[in-house]
Amino acid sequence: KKRNIMSKQRPLVAILDPQFEGEEYKLDIEGKVLKDVADVECFNALKIEDIPDKVSEPVAILCWHHLTNIGKETIERMKNCKLIVRIGMGFDNVDIKAAGELGIKVSNIPDYGVEEVADSAISLMLNIMRRTHWSANLTKQGQWGTSALKGATRLHGSKVGIVGLGKIGTAFALRAKAFSMDVQFYDPYVPYGMDKALGITRVGSLKELVSTSDVISLHCPLTMENVDNHHLINSEILSHFKKGAVLINTSRGPVIDEEALCKSLQDGTVSAAGLDVFEKEPYKDGPLLKLDNVILTPHGAFYSDQSVEEMRSKAALEAKRIIEGQDPWYCVNEKYIKNAQRL
């Protein structure tokens, strides 16, 4: 029988890091969800060494993305913790295996912001294919004309290849179809027949996908235990790209070998790229900043006022469930749980 944590003193739920550096973190959303069951506090840690000793007290810990490596040593300090919630979809910054072996469940929020990320990927693609980004910049600089539109491409009939047909990849596919694009995908983990259900084409290899697509959009995961996707787009794969293809990435930065991509952007193998994520963030000093044929955005594809409220509420609800003795909905490390006493 599960133990209701509320049977003791009023528990603490902590948020390790703020959503935005330098901004006060208001606890209104989490506080509203947890007001009847727990106190809520933000530790405002931007680095691992900033995490206070008080991290030993919370029964649930929520974290954003500033702390890029929440490993075993840090998790061992969470003496009273029963749940870590990554406020977002990706959880590659948390060692879920170490947490599980310590009896701590780890959750993410996999069903927030699906529309926003898919919309953002489409937006990057549209800006590149229709040359809107460059045309708008020249117009604001007082240069009137269509010179920046040279190279603009008709979407109708263009072939877009999707790497990873999960929730966001599927949402992207449906949006691309609405533009009358020819949609194909590569994902060895998706059941056969999904292509028929969506009216799109399945291909058997990544090389086949990139060699036949005018646009490649990445929607594949990257976790500490799933290292296969690290530098999935590397110099070898880029050498198979259809000449002049466009690359979009709203998934995880390390999926792309940025050094190899820079070379491909410079030699024309890749005509342009729209990137929302990077190998090291914040991306403030790197060769991509010097290239004219890239659009860079600050890991914000997920963002809308509605999506932020949704993921913060759902993260707080995960904490509430564990406090009330229920199972979290979105646990990602169940197979590593060893110490049932904490649960």
Side-chain angles (χ1 to χ4, degrees), residues 49 60 93 110-112 126 208 210 237 241 245 283-284 331:
E49 52 266 34
N93 62 329
D111 54 355
Y112 93 96
L126 289 173
E208 181 183 355
V210 301
I237 293 298
F241 265 49
Y283 191 82
K284 295 182 178 180
C331 183

Side-chain angles (χ1 to χ4, degrees), residues 58-340:
V59 296
I61 290 176
L62 284 54
C63 62
W64 289 88
H65 56 273
H66 293 289
L67 305 173
T68 57
N69 185 17
I70 302 175
K72 182 177 180 180
E73 185 176 342
T74 301
I75 296 170
E76 284 177 337
R77 296 175 58 198
M78 303 173 182
K79 302 295 185 182
N80 197 41
C81 185
K82 291 155 182 70
L83 176 70
I84 298 171
V85 185
R86 168 67 175 89
I87 312 173
M89 196 167 299
F91 49 91
D92 48 306
N93 62 329
V94 180
D95 189 337
I96 64 173
K97 183 175 185 291
E101 291 174 347
L102 289 167
I104 302 174
K105 291 188 175 183
V106 178
S107 290
N108 67 338
I109 311 299
D111 54 355
Y112 93 96
V114 171
E115 302 98 322
E116 283 80 4
V117 179
D119 291 345
S120 294
I122 288 288
S123 175
L124 288 169
M125 181 183 72
L126 289 173
N127 267 278
I128 291 173
M129 295 186 73
R130 299 301 306 141
R131 302 285 299 172
T132 310
H133 169 74
W134 295 276
S135 180
N137 284 342
L138 283 182
T139 302
K140 290 186 71 175
Q141 293 169 17
Q143 299 184 44
W144 187 264
T146 59
S147 60
L149 294 174
K150 291 179 180 178
T153 304
R154 178 180 292 171
L155 274 75
H156 181 100
S158 292
K159 185 168 287 189
V160 58
I162 299 170
V163 182
L165 197 73
K167 294 180 290 294
I168 296 172
T170 300
F172 179 89
L174 295 174
R175 285 156 172 75
K177 281 189 67 180
F179 285 103
S180 300
M181 300 184 78
D182 186 359
V183 182
Q184 58 182 4
F185 77 96
Y186 169 69
D187 190 332
Y189 302 102
V190 168
Y192 287 96
M194 184 61 74
D195 48 332
K196 292 185 176 182
L198 295 173
I200 61 179
T201 302
R202 184 182 201 128
V203 300
S205 71
L206 181 58
K207 288 181 181 178
E208 181 183 355
L209 185 82
V210 301
S211 65
T212 58
S213 298
D214 301 302
V215 181
I216 302 294
S217 190
L218 305 179
H219 300 283
C220 46
L222 183 69
T223 66
M224 286 185 177
E225 61 174 2
N226 178 10
V227 297
D228 292 343
N229 287 342
H230 184 267
H231 284 186
L232 183 69
I233 306 301
N234 51 40
S235 57
E236 180 189 359
I237 293 298
L238 285 163
S239 71
H240 291 276
F241 265 49
K242 184 177 180 179
K243 182 71 173 179
V246 170
L247 179 62
I248 306 296
N249 189 15
T250 54
S251 60
R252 282 291 175 265
V255 170
I256 296 177
D257 180 341
E258 288 176 1
E259 183 178 352
L261 175 60
C262 280
K263 292 178 181 178
S264 295
L265 285 163
Q266 290 168 329
D267 67 23
T269 301
V270 178
S271 66
L275 308 174
D276 183 61
V277 288
F278 306 89
E279 289 198 71
K280 293 183 179 180
E281 298 178 359
Y283 191 82
K284 295 182 178 180
D285 182 23
L288 289 167
L289 294 170
K290 301 175 183 178
L291 300 181
D292 293 330
N293 54 342
V294 294
I295 299 176
L296 309 178
T297 53
H299 200 149
F302 70 93
Y303 192 91
S304 72
D305 292 345
Q306 295 88 345
S307 70
V308 171
E309 181 173 355
E310 179 185 7
M311 69 175 169
R312 287 177 61 183
S313 295
K314 287 184 172 180
L317 281 168
E318 282 287 86
K320 185 178 181 181
R321 290 185 188 103
I322 209 79
I323 290 169
E324 294 179 337
Q326 303 175 34
D327 289 325
W329 282 11
Y330 306 118
C331 183
V332 297
N333 71 333
E334 190 71 48
K335 65 181 178 180
Y336 296 122
I337 299 293
K338 303 294 183 183
N339 182 6

